[in-house]
């Protein structure tokens, strides 16, 4: 069929995403701040969508944070990533799917550099062989983990007991997406919707009955800026950029934020607390913050996973107002229990931002 | 010995990021760093484009090259296909190789980054793990993180993690063989030498300032002279 008009244009913003047999590359940041998300992701892919996902415990950091803080040179980072490709090859896989946006951006950049400079690829192969005696094939398909959820969004909708709607009024919930700079700003053709028309997460929101909010600072950086957060003296940069986004989205009264990058999800959650302590401001309804989810958490919630099983008690902004709207039952007492059902105490309350005690 | 310009031109980031700049300022308009710092990627790219050795050396010693957050937002917009963020990466590399980074407050921070990130990568095999996010160094993380930190083992177990244990899963201990491979990669590719250079220049600077490396680390991590904003 010949595509015309908008459909043809939109075609340029789609990408190939493999349908099965993925090699999963974990994210240091996601494991640290959203450990339940990685567990939920694998459970959804393997047990709900019936996909084959392989991982290898020998997989390490991609060194992306070192590369983008300029303490690890490019050749070193490329060789570490080449080792990841080798682990994928040894596992008999050819589709790689990193859980981190920084890794996804980095893998994309490296493959692009090798395309333009085969001599660099050759050099990296030699480095890898010298250091580890490993060899690799380049991945046939590189997709961020959220791309795969996007690909199966309609299948997920068919399985989901919940919709992104207010069960009391039927109103579609308003979701703000944040796809993260390194998802598509460097190589727009490698991200669904490119850098201009972010679709990877808004596509999920719409497929699951919600409404995606377009707001002026939608594409602005969350403010991580690597050295600008990691060095304490620079954190004003980080919080100022997040503040700019919150102020811009607040007018649209979003019910939730969903983020692609684990770093962004963490900042957008934690900086709401920081800003409330600094300035007494809150951006959500009734003195709460705006709940922030990773896309794995959002997927798991519509699929009916228990909120405390997937780690929502690790969020600073209270998630309960969202759970109440969408009609997800939860046990408030179970929130702070360990696996043996014993209490782990409770976090202290912020000064201004409301939380559920 | 080749000139700074020749070395820049050999840098892959420079090659990918620098065509010709028409000084339109579109990159500056979209840049999150230009918004809050006295920083202008347009000016920076223009300065490099002039190909003047002295002004390049001046840049390497300046605060200017350390504001960028490497978000690469500028790449999406430059009508000439430049990426100022990549030009910055090339300048930062040169500044560290030349030992010029210790001449600016923001540049000196590379010592803190090197110590923290290199330690995490080479000791743990991760850029970050939960025990490294100490609440006293991260007040912005708030009371829930304090609670997470205090109940780390139980909580990550509840999250199906495999914290510091052998085998697969979230936050598993990286095995010794893999750690050795990682170290060898750093040695073979020049990563160790690169970080050693940051260390040496910083220790030398600390000596010049009459402080211990430990005091120097704390000061570069926390100090802000308040003169960076726009
Ligand atoms: S939005 Fe923030 S954390 Fe995400 S990719 Fe950009 S800088 Fe990184
Ligand atoms: S990469 Fe650097 S120069 Fe480019 S927009 Fe981001 S902060 Fe600005
Ligand atoms: S957008 Fe491109 S051409 Fe315009 S000033 Fe920036 S680097 Fe130069």
């Amino acid at each position: 069929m010949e595509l015309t008009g908008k459909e043809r244009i939109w075609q340029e913003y789609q990408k190939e995403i493999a349908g099965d047999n993925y090699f999963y590359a974990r994210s240091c940041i996601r494991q640290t701040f959203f450990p339940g998300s990685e567990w939920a992701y694998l459970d959804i892919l393997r047990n709900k969508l019936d996909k084959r996902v392989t991982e290898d415990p020998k997989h390490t950091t991609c060194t992306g944070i070192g590369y983008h803080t300029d303490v690890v040179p490019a050749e070193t980072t490329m060789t570490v990533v080449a080792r990841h490709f080798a682990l994928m090859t040894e596992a008999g896989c050819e589709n790689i799917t990193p859980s981190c946006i920084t890794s996804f951006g980095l893998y994309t950049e490296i493959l692009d550099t090798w395309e333009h400079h085969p001599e660099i690829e050759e050099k990296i192969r030699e480095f890898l062989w010298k250091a580890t005696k490993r060899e690799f094939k380049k991945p046939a398909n590189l997709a961020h983990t959220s791309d795969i959820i996007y690909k199966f969004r309609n299948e997920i909708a068919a399985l989901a007991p919940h919709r992104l709607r207010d069960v009391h009024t039927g109103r579609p919930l308003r979701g703000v997406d944040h796809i993260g700079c390194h998802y598509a700003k460097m190589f727009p053709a490698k991200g669904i919707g490119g850098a201009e028309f972010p679709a990877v997460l808004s596509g999920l929101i719409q497929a699951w009955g919600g409404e995606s909010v377009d707001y002026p600072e939608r594409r602005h950086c969350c403010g991580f800026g690597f050295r600008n957060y990691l060095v304490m003296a620079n954190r004003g940069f980080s919080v100022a950029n997040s503040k700019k986004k919150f102020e811009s989205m607040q007018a649209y009264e979003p019910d939730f934020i969903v983020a692609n990058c684990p770093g962004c999800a963490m900042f957008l959650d934690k900086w709401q607390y920081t800003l409330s302590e600094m300035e007494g401001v809150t951006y959500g309804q009734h003195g709460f913050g705006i709940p922030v989810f990773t896309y794995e958490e959002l997927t798991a919630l519509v699929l009916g996973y228990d909120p405390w099983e997937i780690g929502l008690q690790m969020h600073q902004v209270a998630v309960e107002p969202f759970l109440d709207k969408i009609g997800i039952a939860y046990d408030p007492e179970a929130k702070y229990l360990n696996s043996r059902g014993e209490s782990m105490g409770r976090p202290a309350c912020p000064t201004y931002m409301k939380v559920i005690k | 010995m080749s000139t700074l310009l020749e070395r820049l031109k050999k840098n892959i980031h420079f090659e990918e990021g620098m065509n010709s700049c028409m000084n339109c300022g579109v990159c500056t308009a979209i840049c999150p760093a230009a918004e809050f710092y006295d920083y202008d990627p347009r000016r920076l790219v223009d300065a490099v484009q002039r190909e003047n050795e002295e002004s390049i050396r001046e840049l390497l010693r300046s605060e200017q090259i350390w504001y960028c957050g490497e978000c690469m937002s500028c790449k999406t917009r430059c009508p000439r296909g430049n990426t100022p963020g990549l030009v910055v990466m090339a300048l930062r590399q040169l500044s560290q190789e030349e030992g010029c980074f210790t001449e600016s407050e923001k540049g000196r921070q590379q010592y803190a980054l090197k110590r923290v990130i290199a330690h995490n990568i080479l000791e743990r095999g991760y850029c970050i793990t939960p025990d490294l996010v100490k609440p006293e160094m991260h007040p912005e993380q708030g009371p829930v993180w304090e609670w997470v930190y205090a109940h780390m083992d139980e909580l990550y177990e509840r999250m199906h993690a495999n914290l510091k244990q052998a085998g697969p899963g979230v936050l598993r201990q990286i095995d010794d063989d893999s750690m050795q491979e990682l170290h060898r990669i750093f040695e073979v590719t020049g990563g160790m030498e690169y970080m050693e250079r940051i260390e040496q220049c910083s220790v030398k600077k600390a000596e010049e300032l009459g402080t211990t490396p430990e005091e120097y680390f704390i000061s570069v991590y926390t100090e802000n002279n308040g003169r960076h904003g726009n």
Side-chain angles (χ1 to χ4, degrees), chain A residues 32 83 131 182 229 244, chain B residues 13 35 70 140 156 181 184:
Chain A
T32 294
R83 180 174 176 275
H182 288 195
Y229 170 73
K244 184 176 156 131
Chain B
H13 292 132
E35 197 158 340
E70 300 190 10
E140 79 290 345
Y156 283 81
E181 287 189 24
R184 276 204 301 276

Side-chain angles (χ1 to χ4, degrees), chain A residues 148-163:
Chain A
I148 296 169
I149 297 287
Y150 176 87
K151 185 177 175 83
F152 297 114
R153 65 197 182 287
N154 296 324
E155 286 81 346
I156 290 168
L159 293 170
H162 301 289
R163 310 275 294 157

